[in-house]
Amino acid sequence: MPAIINTENKELTQLVIDMIKTCYDPEIPVDIWELGLIYEINIDKENNLNVQMTLTSPSCPVAETLPPEIEEKLRGVEGVKSAKIELTFEPPWEKDMMSDVAQLELGFM
């Protein structure tokens, strides 16, 4: 399930995605983009960034630390005015949300 991207700034979107791909779920050796944890990326005309994401489970041990860590990294992306992570568990994450790359890397294909 690919993320919904709401912006006209394709260049900044790519920088944001590139930064997201440097963030890993500590229990799974695949970045959070390929895992399908990013549901939505919104960048407004002033380059304020809002990312809606989930975790592999609500009881994920990094629920308290991973979103702020990602938010901090995204604030450092050149051109981003502000960054906010919104955590959601609707819809719940499922293995089939992973990209083919992630599924292959984890042996699901």
Side-chain angles (χ1 to χ4, degrees):
M1 181 175 97
I4 297 166
I5 298 174
N6 297 310
T7 183
E8 292 172 14
N9 192 334
K10 297 197 184 322
E11 195 175 306
L12 187 55
T13 300
Q14 192 55 57
L15 293 173
V16 166
I17 292 169
D18 290 346
M19 181 59 77
I20 288 170
K21 287 182 173 192
T22 71
C23 303
Y24 288 80
D25 182 312
E27 296 178 325
I28 307 169
V30 175
D31 70 73
I32 62 171
W33 178 260
E34 298 296 344
L35 279 175
L37 298 182
I38 303 300
Y39 286 174
E40 200 168 316
I41 295 174
N42 297 292
I43 303 172
D44 68 16
K45 289 186 183 345
E46 286 81 44
N47 292 343
N48 295 299
L49 170 65
N50 185 293
V51 176
Q52 190 177 67
M53 70 171 288
T54 194
L55 298 170
T56 52
S57 95
S59 58
C60 181
V62 294
E64 299 297 314
T65 57
L66 189 61
E69 176 189 318
I70 297 165
E71 195 172 83
E72 188 63 35
K73 282 186 169 188
L74 291 174
R75 282 192 188 110
V77 173
E78 191 176 334
V80 169
K81 184 176 178 185
S82 70
K84 184 175 183 326
I85 295 286
E86 186 183 325
L87 201 55
T88 185
F89 293 100
E90 292 299 320
W93 181 84
E94 295 177 5
K95 280 186 222 162
D96 64 356
M97 292 175 169
M98 289 189 286
S99 70
D100 289 348
V101 170
Q103 289 189 37
L104 192 62
E105 203 163 309
L106 295 173
F108 292 116
M109 290 179 82

